[in-house]
């Protein structure tokens, strides 16, 4: 079986490749010569995942899946949510996003947060979505140098370290993306 993972994010690709069974050939957008910047214009995480998967299917004809992930902060009414990647502005990077979030939470006692990933799969004319959630809290300082995005300031519940301090196997076992991919793999194996 051959599936396209509709992402240009090499970190996400690496995480997901580690979880996909060997009998499934995972192709990236680069592998199918899709160099388009697929717009993420929906106002929900699920909407953006579906938008990306449908784009690849319609323009390139491949069965595929796409994901979208958001960090939802309780004290900020779910923000940054669907805007997590561009929270500090369109031209900003992960450091800018983390700094903005740390500053916004500096005077708040409630640091509860959750990462939410939705994977939209388009396969054989069917559309199925899988959701993975990892609850935790935001730290006041960045810790660790692994992972990407908000990983240095997200500490999952029941752990004393951030995602950025975990090896990939542990992060995949407890993390939002790993949980969603696990559901995807179960579906593909059934």
């Amino acid at each position: 079986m051959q599936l396209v993972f509709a992402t240009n994010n090499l970190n996400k690709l690496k995480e997901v490749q580690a979880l996909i069974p060997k009998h499934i050939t995972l192709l990236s957008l680069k592998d199918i010569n899709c160099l388009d910047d697929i717009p993420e214009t929906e106002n929900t995480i699920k909407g953006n995942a579906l938008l990306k998967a449908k784009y690849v299917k319609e323009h390139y004809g491949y069965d595929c899946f796409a994901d979208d992930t958001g960090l939802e902060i309780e004290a900020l009414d779910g923000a940054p949510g669907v805007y997590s990647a561009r929270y500090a502005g369109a031209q900003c990077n992960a450091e800018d996003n983390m700094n903005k979030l740390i500053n916004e939470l500096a005077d708040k006692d409630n640091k509860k947060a959750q990462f939410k990933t939705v994977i939209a799969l388009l396969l054989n004319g069917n559309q199925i979505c899988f959701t993975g959630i990892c609850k935790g809290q935001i730290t006041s300082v960045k810790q660790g140098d692994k992972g990407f995005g908000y990983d240095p300031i997200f500490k999952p519940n029941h752990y004393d370290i951030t995602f950025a301090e975990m090896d990939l196997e542990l992060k995949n076992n407890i993390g939002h993306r790993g949980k969603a991919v696990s559901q995807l793999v179960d579906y593909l194996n059934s």
Side-chain angles (χ1 to χ4, degrees), residues 92-138:
C92 293
N93 61 24
E95 286 294 315
D96 300 323
N97 289 334
M98 284 188 286
N99 290 337
K100 178 178 180 179
L101 193 54
I102 289 169
N103 288 335
E104 288 188 350
L105 291 175
D107 63 346
K108 301 201 181 334
D109 293 329
N110 181 358
K111 310 266 193 209
K112 290 181 183 174
Q114 69 177 23
F115 267 119
K116 178 180 182 181
T117 292
V118 175
I119 293 176
L121 171 68
L122 300 180
L123 181 64
N124 302 325
N126 296 315
Q127 172 183 302
I128 305 103
C129 291
F130 310 96
T131 302
I133 292 175
C134 183
K135 295 184 179 291
Q137 56 186 309
I138 301 301

Side-chain angles (χ1 to χ4, degrees), residues 7-184:
T7 187
N8 284 313
N9 185 323
L10 297 178
N11 291 305
K12 280 186 185 181
L13 186 63
K14 182 179 173 183
E15 280 187 11
V16 171
Q17 278 178 323
L19 298 168
I20 295 289
K22 300 296 178 231
H23 71 275
I24 297 172
T25 302
L26 198 59
L27 301 173
S28 69
L29 290 176
K30 185 179 176 186
D31 292 331
I32 62 167
N33 292 317
C34 175
L35 306 175
D36 310 345
D37 186 16
I38 302 172
E40 295 182 32
T41 55
E42 293 293 323
N43 59 3
T44 66
I45 293 168
K46 180 180 179 180
N48 277 334
L50 282 166
L51 186 109
K52 290 186 276 188
K54 287 177 180 176
Y55 184 93
V56 170
K57 184 66 176 171
E58 289 169 10
H59 291 85
Y60 294 87
Y62 288 93
D63 283 335
C64 67
F65 66 94
D67 83 319
D68 196 33
T69 297
L71 177 62
E72 301 171 334
I73 312 295
E74 193 172 282
L76 301 178
D77 298 321
V82 72
Y83 304 106
S84 294
R86 52 198 179 278
Y87 190 49
Q91 303 306 314
C92 293
N93 61 24
E95 286 294 315
D96 300 323
N97 289 334
M98 284 188 286
N99 290 337
K100 178 178 180 179
L101 193 54
I102 289 169
N103 288 335
E104 288 188 350
L105 291 175
D107 63 346
K108 301 201 181 334
D109 293 329
N110 181 358
K111 310 266 193 209
K112 290 181 183 174
Q114 69 177 23
F115 267 119
K116 178 180 182 181
T117 292
V118 175
I119 293 176
L121 171 68
L122 300 180
L123 181 64
N124 302 325
N126 296 315
Q127 172 183 302
I128 305 103
C129 291
F130 310 96
T131 302
I133 292 175
C134 183
K135 295 184 179 291
Q137 56 186 309
I138 301 301
T139 60
S140 301
V141 295
K142 299 168 197 160
Q143 298 166 226
D145 58 3
K146 297 179 181 120
F148 61 99
Y150 294 93
D151 287 356
I153 61 169
F154 183 81
K155 189 179 290 187
N157 287 347
H158 313 296
Y159 288 86
D160 293 328
I161 58 176
T162 66
F163 271 167
E165 296 173 287
M166 293 181 176
D167 62 38
L168 184 58
E169 184 177 357
L170 177 57
K171 183 184 174 193
N172 276 341
N173 283 336
I174 67 166
H176 48 292
R177 189 168 297 103
K179 290 176 182 178
V181 172
S182 178
Q183 296 168 44
L184 168 70

